[in-house]
Amino acid sequence: DIQMTQSPSFLSASVGDRVTINCKASQNINKYLNWYQQKLGEAPKRLIYNTNNLQTGIPSRFSGSGSGTDYTLTISSLQPEDFATYFCLQHNSFLTFGSGTKLEIK
Amino acid sequence: EVQLVESGGGLVQPGRSMKLSCAASGFTFSNYGMAWVRQAPTKGLEWVATISYDGSSTYYRDSVKGRFTISRDNAKSTLYLQMNSLRSEDTATYYCTRGGPDYWGQGVMVTVSS
């Protein structure tokens, strides 16, 4: 089974900051890596699919990169509505989720 | 607008059964593989089961194999999860998801407790 290691678990940042969240797979996942945002009490929302494709309707301040086993979500300039939990998902072989990153206001 | 609406959750005793449903709308249900994903309280997300677009193929995580059955009725645009021999560790919010997954339902809570 593919394992996903996500870091950091918690991130404290300010509006306007640039932040990055990382996911490392236990084996090559061929860029089959998605990023999601989840707010309390809401369904997860897909932000990025297949490493670097922006979901329709998602602001361009969100971007993704990576290959092989290492992947990154970048938010270029944090907005108030971005404070939430983010997680990655590999779908190269079944589905495995990262443990999540809680992004909090500093 | 794509909508996935789960139902059928609640409190159930260990060893008993429960069936979840997910009513889909806003897209051609029969064109998409579907999956169930769960999240235990204060824990991360965990894939449970996947079914192909036509129901011919199903896949399960090891801990639910032989106890859970994923199925679908394309005529009714509905996904199901039959859960038997429930255990306390199955306590979670269960989400219905489409495809990649791209869309998720709001989730339904299942609590397994005596």
Side-chain angles (χ1 to χ4, degrees):
Chain A
D1 292 3
I2 298 175
Q3 309 302 315
M4 299 299 297
T5 302
Q6 184 171 342
S7 62
S9 299
F10 297 93
L11 187 52
S12 183
S14 302
V15 173
D17 284 354
R18 177 185 179 92
V19 300
T20 60
I21 299 170
N22 301 293
C23 270
K24 186 175 184 67
S26 59
Q27 63 191 71
N28 181 10
I29 56 171
N30 299 302
K31 296 192 171 186
Y32 288 111
L33 191 285
N34 298 345
W35 291 99
Y36 298 83
Q37 177 193 70
Q38 187 176 25
K39 296 182 178 179
L40 199 62
E42 297 183 9
K45 180 195 306 183
R46 192 171 71 172
L47 305 173
I48 302 283
Y49 63 95
N50 296 344
T51 297
N52 55 10
N53 296 281
L54 193 65
Q55 183 74 23
T56 302
I58 300 301
S60 59
R61 62 180 179 273
F62 292 93
S63 64
S65 63
S67 63
T69 61
D70 294 293
Y71 298 84
T72 299
L73 172 70
T74 299
I75 310 173
S76 60
S77 178
L78 276 173
Q79 299 302 301
E81 61 268 27
D82 298 338
F83 292 94
T85 297
Y86 294 83
F87 59 90
C88 62
L89 163 71
Q90 73 78 23
H91 59 105
N92 181 67
S93 174
F94 300 118
L95 305 178
T96 313
F97 295 87
S99 54
T101 297
K102 187 172 183 181
L103 178 54
E104 299 178 328
I105 300 174
K106 185 183 288 185
Chain B
E1 179 193 6
V2 172
Q3 285 201 316
L4 300 170
V5 180
E6 302 95 339
S7 61
L11 176 64
V12 62
Q13 292 180 329
R16 304 297 292 265
S17 299
M18 177 175 278
K19 187 172 186 176
L20 304 182
S21 300
C22 170
S25 61
F27 65 101
T28 304
F29 182 71
S30 57
N31 286 352
Y32 289 86
M34 300 290 293
W36 289 96
V37 172
R38 68 186 180 186
Q39 185 170 32
T42 70
K43 297 291 180 67
L45 290 150
E46 183 175 83
W47 166 72
V48 176
T50 292
I51 188 167
S52 61
Y53 70 99
D54 60 356
S56 62
S57 299
T58 57
Y59 309 90
Y60 301 91
R61 69 179 300 103
D62 286 348
S63 62
V64 308
K65 276 181 189 173
R67 299 189 299 124
F68 289 13
T69 302
I70 188 172
S71 62
R72 63 190 299 157
D73 184 336
N74 284 347
K76 295 183 178 179
S77 296
T78 302
L79 177 71
Y80 302 101
L81 185 68
Q82 175 68 46
M83 304 183 293
N84 298 332
S85 303
L86 281 161
R87 306 167 180 168
S88 58
E89 55 263 37
D90 296 318
T91 294
T93 296
Y94 285 73
Y95 295 97
C96 165
T97 70
R98 185 186 86 161
D102 52 4
Y103 288 92
W104 299 55
Q106 287 292 116
V108 62
M109 184 69 199
V110 173
T111 303
V112 184
S113 175
S114 54

